[in-house]
Amino acid sequence: EERFKGFAEGNQLHRVNGFERGLDNWIYVANGDSGGEIESIKTGQELSLGGQDLRIFPERGIMELQTGRTQFGRHRDDHGNWFGCSNPLPVRHFVLADQYTRRNPFLTFPTPRLDIARVDNTQLFPISRILSHWSGYRHPESGAGHKFTSACSTSIYRDDLFGEDFNGDTFTCAPVHNLVHRRKLIPDGVSFQSIRPKELANQEFLASTDSWFRPATVTTGPEGALWVVDMYRLVIEHPEWIDDQREKELFLRAGCDRGRIYRVLPVNHSAPQTLNFSSLSSSELTGLLESSNGRTRDLAQQELIYRADQNIEKRLDDMVTQSSTEMGRLHAMCTLSGLGQIRFSTLQFALKDPSPTVRRHAIRLSDPFLASAGQGSDQCLKTLAELASDPDPMVRMQLAYTLGEADGEISASVLVSLAQHSVESPYLRASITSSLHEENLIAFH
């Protein structure tokens, strides 16, 4: 069934792609660099995709622009941070949230994305004979290192099957160089630094001597393995980028009858059996929200929301306050939100959670409570104000965003307090100024 239309077609290497569900239950979509004039079939809503990514709610037929743009593969980590890439840039962090910054069209914000792994701070170590048919490709001079020309499908490993040291690392496919590249994310204020693991100082996580090995997608499986899709082609480039004469000499579809999927596991390890989520009871699915595996938690949350089983709402509510795992508390809270059953009394517990991630998303889920008129809004604002000195910068950033849903002096005074401790952070300042509007601007001084 067609839900949204208008995505530009054009070059197959640059079409809309991705489709990953966020903790907020929207589906996030990578631009693909082609844009388009998008229309919702259900609601008639229209928007110009331009140079941004997108999030959609297919059941309701609504869509919103997101900070972008991602060429191939927009993915998130366990904590709700979004990452993308482009051919020469393997890791790009989307720092600012477009749904908040667009509230204030009178300000110029810093670049909403950070290229934390770039041409100048990455090097590749292929073990194959490089077969690049791009007319602009130049083999490195003797002694010079290889650089990304085909970075794609950057994803975050979301399990501990390989050990705790792997959890949260990024993996990027480089099909031209016949390898999969691993990097570590190091928290740095409201963003990250991207560095090579010490044990991979001069080698890659996965590399092949076969020049036809073309890894195009890498992701975490529901059993903790790393899954790699290999297109297995002689030519990986679109003909548009190949010299016209050279194009005539090649069989462009060589390998079209091949291709394979690899499942990468630790040595001497047998992967657990994968689950059929549709066959599990709602109670069993609720328990899986505490899984160590990110894909398992996401699928359990998604299935519970589709079922809308009211019998598990109390258990979810109890999990927010009692689960022994950070991810269990987080996903229980986000599942309740997706069911439309989140209560501010539950969020009050979550706002004091020891996990910065749980606190951060509890603030985000407070948006509608803060925006509603009445005594509940006042209590919500007073509770949120207590987080103005939270030690975690991402918590403070979300607080700054959410305060824009409120009017009056209290919200303005908290924004002032946040601003006084954000002088050195342009992104924190941006989140604060995104929340200024007619009702609180005068009091912001």
Side-chain angles (χ1 to χ4, degrees):
E1 181 184 353
E2 187 178 30
R3 298 295 182 94
F4 302 91
K5 65 179 182 179
F7 298 99
E9 296 182 5
N11 188 313
Q12 289 93 332
L13 296 181
H14 294 277
R15 292 187 179 183
V16 64
N17 63 87
F19 307 102
E20 177 151 322
R21 193 174 296 271
L23 288 167
D24 55 10
N25 301 302
W26 289 73
I27 296 176
Y28 285 71
V29 182
N31 182 303
D33 291 358
S34 291
E37 301 299 319
I38 318 303
E39 178 185 351
S40 167
I41 304 302
K42 184 172 185 177
T43 67
Q45 178 190 1
E46 298 179 343
L47 59 75
S48 178
L49 187 55
Q52 294 186 259
D53 289 344
L54 186 70
R55 67 176 183 176
I56 59 176
F57 217 113
E59 295 82 1
R60 295 162 59 189
I62 58 177
M63 55 185 172
E64 291 185 353
L65 293 173
Q66 289 295 289
T67 300
R69 139 181 95 182
T70 304
Q71 185 169 335
F72 182 74
R74 178 186 176 113
H75 300 292
R76 65 170 173 85
D77 63 9
D78 282 344
H79 309 282
N81 304 301
W82 288 93
F83 301 87
C85 62
S86 65
N87 280 166
L89 305 169
V91 187
R92 170 177 285 159
H93 175 217
F94 302 119
V95 187
L96 295 178
D98 193 81
Q99 65 266 31
Y100 291 115
T101 57
R102 64 170 169 260
R103 297 178 304 186
N104 197 331
F106 305 105
L107 292 175
T108 300
F109 294 102
T111 302
R113 68 191 191 199
L114 277 180
D115 297 333
I116 55 178
R118 308 173 302 274
V119 173
D120 64 340
N121 68 357
T122 56
Q123 183 177 354
L124 296 179
F125 297 93
I127 58 175
S128 59
R129 181 171 68 92
I130 305 303
L131 294 180
S132 176
H133 304 92
W134 170 41
S135 57
Y137 179 78
R138 299 293 180 269
H139 195 79
E141 296 180 4
S142 179
H146 289 263
K147 297 294 183 182
F148 276 101
T149 61
S150 61
C152 60
S153 183
T154 295
S155 66
I156 294 82
Y157 181 70
R158 300 176 57 207
D159 203 336
D160 55 12
L161 185 66
F162 287 88
E164 286 291 339
D165 189 53
F166 272 70
N167 199 325
D169 286 2
T170 65
F171 289 83
T172 301
C173 293
V176 166
H177 291 85
N178 318 118
L179 58 85
V180 176
H181 179 79
R182 174 189 167 204
R183 300 184 70 81
K184 304 196 72 63
L185 289 172
I186 309 300
D188 184 15
V190 295
S191 188
F192 301 86
Q193 296 179 24
S194 174
I195 64 173
R196 292 187 77 100
K198 293 180 179 178
E199 65 271 26
L200 296 176
N202 56 5
Q203 59 182 320
E204 300 299 336
F205 172 78
L206 173 62
S208 175
T209 58
D210 187 348
S211 300
W212 285 40
F213 174 63
R214 304 295 192 181
T217 296
V218 57
T219 192
T220 309
E223 80 294 56
L226 202 68
W227 290 64
V228 179
V229 177
D230 173 18
M231 285 184 65
Y232 204 78
R233 296 291 183 103
L234 167 65
V235 179
I236 194 66
E237 298 85 359
H238 188 280
E240 180 179 345
W241 312 118
I242 302 174
D243 177 79
D244 291 344
Q245 180 57 43
R246 179 65 174 136
E247 183 181 337
K248 296 176 182 178
E249 300 168 357
L250 294 167
F251 176 33
L252 297 176
R253 293 184 55 80
C256 65
D257 57 342
R258 305 183 191 183
R260 48 210 169 184
I261 297 175
Y262 292 97
R263 189 167 69 160
V264 183
L265 293 161
V267 176
N268 299 324
H269 184 92
S270 297
Q273 183 178 1
T274 55
L275 300 171
N276 181 347
F277 286 79
S278 62
S279 69
L280 299 177
S281 69
S282 296
S283 177
E284 290 171 319
L285 287 170
T286 303
L288 290 177
L289 297 177
E290 297 181 314
S291 169
S292 63
N293 181 272
R295 186 171 294 276
T296 294
R297 296 192 303 271
D298 293 348
L299 290 171
Q301 177 175 326
Q302 174 181 317
E303 181 68 19
L304 286 168
I305 291 172
Y306 282 163
R307 293 185 186 185
D309 186 350
Q310 297 180 356
N311 294 321
I312 51 92
E313 289 173 7
K314 184 181 186 305
R315 183 177 173 189
L316 289 170
D317 205 68
D318 290 341
M319 283 183 67
V320 177
T321 60
Q322 299 174 18
S323 174
S324 61
T325 71
E326 173 190 31
M327 290 295 111
R329 300 192 299 275
L330 174 66
H331 279 269
M333 182 170 62
C334 294
T335 303
L336 280 170
S337 175
L339 292 168
Q341 299 298 324
I342 193 73
R343 298 179 299 170
F344 186 68
S345 58
T346 303
L347 292 179
Q348 283 182 303
F349 280 93
L351 289 167
K352 298 177 181 179
D353 196 276
S355 161
T357 297
V358 174
R359 296 197 302 274
R360 169 184 168 189
H361 288 278
I363 295 170
R364 174 181 61 80
L365 292 173
S366 298
D367 284 3
F369 296 97
L370 198 58
S372 64
Q375 186 177 355
S377 174
D378 294 339
Q379 180 58 47
C380 178
L381 182 55
K382 290 178 182 177
T383 304
L384 290 172
E386 297 174 4
L387 292 165
S389 58
D390 194 282
D392 187 88
M394 290 191 179
V395 171
R396 298 198 303 275
M397 172 177 270
Q398 182 59 56
L399 177 61
Y401 283 142
T402 293
L403 288 170
E405 302 298 315
D407 302 334
E409 294 187 3
I410 295 180
S411 65
S413 66
V414 181
L415 287 170
V416 169
S417 177
L418 289 168
Q420 290 172 339
H421 297 91
S422 305
V423 176
E424 303 301 322
S425 175
Y427 288 106
L428 275 173
R429 293 201 308 270
S431 65
I432 293 166
T433 54
S434 76
S435 290
L436 298 179
H437 49 73
E438 290 181 358
E439 303 299 327
N440 65 12
L441 183 58
I442 295 178
F444 183 79
H445 62 272

